[in-house]
Amino acid sequence: MIRWRWGTVGAVRREWRGSREVDVTVEARRPEDPATVRALAYPALVGTPEPGDRVLLNLNALALGLGTGGYALVVAVPDRLPEDVDVPGHVVKARYTPLQAVVLAADEEASPLRGDLAGAADLGGMPVVVADLHSALPAVVAGALAAAPGARIAYVMTDGGALPAWFSRTLDGLGPLLAGTVTTGQAFGGDLESTNVHSGLLAARHGLRADLAVVTQGPGNLGTGTSWGFSGVAAGEAVNAVAALGGRPVAAPRISDADPRPRHRGVSHHSLTAFGRVALAPADLVMPSDLPPGLAGPVRDALAPLCPPHTLVEVPSADLADALGALPVKLSTMGRGFAEDRAYFLAAAAAGRYASGLR
């Protein structure tokens, strides 16, 4: 199940919040093993690798040729272990794996937010944008802030993709624009931790004092090419959670005329499954009002059967291009930037603009 390798750190490449990227010379066990790899370490979990350190690696992502997660992962720095940290919490994430980590949940007794969250059961009408890909996050934030520069936006990260929030360079770059990040379920490393999406939404509202939230998985979604075999299907459950807690769900369907796969052209079949089959509560379903004519018709036709229970809302988006261009992070989805897939990013930005107006 795991391709274990020993290696020696040659150089530190770069760092961002919670992560260190290093070059590692690999001790080969098979002829096809690479001589050197780009490896990622989470110092809080495994220690801080320095040049000359011997490290234990997991090479699975490289063997699979994963795009988003194409790193070797540092499992341990045996001669430079991190110091013990006595966390007052008792919530365990990545449970019963060799790297299970103890965190303090925002609503635990030892949490300073316990008083705010112990009796919290309602979002008070807070709008929540739900998307199925992590790459939508910066575009939603750009659209929301273009409409309301002072908006307090929280990111609620589900565990459908990367579990450590530290993996996301996008999230690191967006930090100054966010009120904070809540990691839910098995995901960890956010400003606040929660046990599930419901408690994560409450932590965003009452702990981070957000007046708008974005729910989506971390980077590196899982998909099998089938209608149901996709981690982003959980976006439909997030819509239900928002509604159950008295929030205002805003669904951001995945729209593209650039994806080479027919099942993702127009409205992705994953969005149709998540919002059309899984989301039982009504949501505002946002599409840009100014899509190219050849795309607008197919998108409306695809979304029409979802309404009701949802309400289709058309929002202008073309003027949000400057806001997207001003973001402190690079826009990228499936290897395509804004120039290659304008409809995708403008659709997500339109959802952010609309949600910001509901505050």
Side-chain angles (χ1 to χ4, degrees), residues 256-259 331 335-343 345:
S256 174
D257 59 357
D259 200 302
L331 293 173
R336 300 185 300 273
F338 179 60
E340 294 78 33
D341 206 342
R342 290 176 58 90
F345 295 107

Side-chain angles (χ1 to χ4, degrees), residues 17 20 29 60 74 108 149 154 234 349:
R17 181 178 179 269
R20 172 172 279 203
R29 295 175 63 187
N60 275 354
V74 176
E108 283 193 81

Side-chain angles (χ1 to χ4, degrees), residues 128-151:
V128 180
V129 179
V130 180
D132 65 8
L133 290 180
H134 187 70
S135 56
L137 173 64
V140 173
V141 170
L145 292 178

